[in-house]
Amino acid sequence: MDTHYDVIVIGGSFAGLSAAMQLARARRRVLVLDSRRPRNRFASHAHGFFGQDGKAPGEIIDEATVQLTAYPTAHVAIGAACIAKRVDDRFIVTQSSGSSSSAARLILATGIRDELPALPGLEERWGVSALHCPYCHGYEVADKRLGVLATHSLSIHQAMLVPDWGPTTWFTQGIVDPSAEEIALLEARNVRIERKPVVEVLGDAPNMAGLRLADGRVVEIDALFLGPRTQMASPLAEQLGCAFDESPIGPVIRVDEWKQTTVPGVFAAGDAASAWSNATFASAAGVAAGVAAHRSLIGGL
Ligand SMILES: Cc1cc2nc3c(=O)[nH]c(=O)nc-3n(C[C@H](O)[C@H](O)[C@H](O)COP(=O)(O)OP(=O)(O)OC[C@H]3O[C@@H](n4cnc5c(N)ncnc54)[C@H](O)[C@@H]3O)c2cc1C
């Protein structure tokens, strides 16, 4: 104990490194703590991120880390923060290694964890042929036999979207019962609706060849889109007493437009604080959190 910083950023991926960059360029002392488990680590390539399309996610993060640590007041440490608490006018963050640091402000950029439905064969295909977002990975599976697996009521929006990438079957899983009007919209998009539940994913993993249904039929599918339910990747926001909002896919930390949480001095950005999740949104939110944390250090937003 105990090195003191202006700001500790917990999570060193798209949101956290973007936040820290603003603070480093404002010549503030900033520590980024990162346990190296970004949400997209299952994918070999990231898409749609400005200037980085098609690069490996780890490569983007490594390059951003090198650029950040070129600034003399920026520090990055690899490790997991397990306790964060306010003591008087500072926040103390303790890592699982036992070491601790303190700061005047905290930025939580800890991301979320996807909870895949318990479907045999799904987990080993996540990020390759089982995909969360057509904008991120649809182009690479264009014109193949595509599926959308319902996990919650919003699945119908994904089913409406995916036909722009290829012929689409929507598996309702007994979770969604589309109205006559919705069926008409889906039919207008040439979406085939399959109501028998999928019980197994087939093929040579991580590739996909088809889905076995509860009645034994096999539907040939090359790539399956689904929006899993999500959980916070870290309990720190709850520990600190931050309020949450419930999005259709899971909890998100409640923030205002400048990423201030309900706990003064604690900011949050990225997937952990937004239901709109991709690398660009996370990075932009990180920039806002970094700027806001800096402005709060000088006495106002
Ligand atoms: C399979 C898959 C593929 C994707 N592909 C794309 C794509 O191609 N393009 C795109 O724009 N988006 C993609 N996304 C979405 C993208 O991954 C997320 O929107 C983005 O990673 C969110 O950034 P973030 O910084 O908020 O969180 P993350 O990237 O998840 O990073 C959070 C970081 O915080 C760290 N952390 C968590 N808790 C702690 C702790 N207690 N102490 C220290 N560190 C901690 C984690 O280790 C991690 O490094 C994909 C998502 C998935 C699931």
Side-chain angles (χ1 to χ4, degrees):
M1 182 60 182
D2 153 348
T3 316
H4 187 72
Y5 295 88
D6 291 312
V7 181
I8 296 176
V9 180
I10 307 177
S13 180
F14 295 98
L17 292 172
S18 301
M21 182 58 106
Q22 306 307 312
L23 292 152
R25 290 185 52 75
R27 306 192 302 165
R28 293 292 180 156
R29 282 175 56 73
V30 56
L31 171 68
V32 178
L33 277 176
D34 185 50
S35 54
R36 293 259 161 182
R37 292 178 65 75
R39 186 182 173 203
N40 62 351
R41 64 188 179 280
F42 304 95
S44 59
H45 297 92
H47 292 282
F49 192 59
F50 181 74
Q52 306 284 339
D53 188 57
K55 268 200 190 164
E59 205 183 321
I60 299 174
I61 299 302
D62 286 350
E63 200 176 320
T65 304
V66 167
Q67 289 178 2
L68 175 68
T69 50
Y71 290 86
T73 58
H75 305 271
V76 175
I78 303 306
C82 54
I83 303 170
K85 60 182 177 189
R86 178 166 210 136
V87 178
D88 302 327
D89 62 347
R90 55 175 58 191
F91 295 95
I92 297 182
V93 176
T94 305
Q95 296 184 48
S96 41
S97 64
S99 71
S100 54
S101 311
S102 64
R105 301 288 183 271
L106 274 190
I107 297 177
L108 302 175
T110 41
I112 54 178
R113 189 161 38 81
D114 292 291
E115 295 198 324
L116 299 180
L119 178 62
L122 193 62
E123 197 177 336
E124 54 267 40
R125 292 174 172 85
W126 184 236
V128 180
S129 56
L131 302 163
H132 83 301
C133 161
Y135 295 104
C136 299
H137 301 289
Y139 194 88
E140 284 62 45
V141 295
D143 296 328
K144 296 195 172 168
R145 298 163 299 187
L146 305 179
V148 173
L149 188 77
T151 50
H152 49 68
S153 59
L154 292 187
S155 171
I156 190 165
H157 299 293
Q158 212 171 33
M160 287 291 290
L161 208 59
V162 168
D164 272 13
W165 286 271
T168 303
T169 304
W170 183 37
F171 300 89
T172 62
Q173 294 296 82
I175 292 171
V176 194
D177 187 16
S179 66
E181 194 186 334
E182 288 170 331
I183 290 171
L185 288 170
L186 289 161
E187 281 174 356
R189 297 278 290 152
N190 291 321
V191 176
R192 200 182 139 249
I193 301 174
E194 177 56 70
R195 289 186 170 78
K196 275 285 171 225
V198 177
V199 294
E200 189 182 1
V201 186
L202 305 171
D204 190 9
N207 298 317
M208 188 180 296
L211 303 175
R212 191 188 309 283
L213 306 182
D215 61 6
R217 280 181 296 136
V218 170
V219 183
E220 293 182 341
I221 291 288
D222 302 304
L224 184 68
F225 290 91
L226 64 148
R229 280 200 63 78
T230 62
Q231 291 297 337
M232 288 290 114
S234 149
L236 295 177
E238 201 178 341
Q239 263 181 33
L240 285 156
C242 297
F244 290 83
D245 289 316
E246 195 58 39
S247 89
I249 57 163
V252 291
I253 303 169
R254 185 178 302 161
V255 290
D256 68 12
E257 64 175 323
W258 282 103
K259 313 306 168 194
Q260 167 68 62
T261 69
T262 52
V263 176
V266 179
F267 298 79
D271 283 11
S274 170
W276 292 98
S277 58
N278 74 20
T280 309
F281 290 141
S283 179
V287 170
V291 168
H294 177 230
R295 294 178 72 165
S296 81
L297 286 168
I298 59 173
L301 276 175

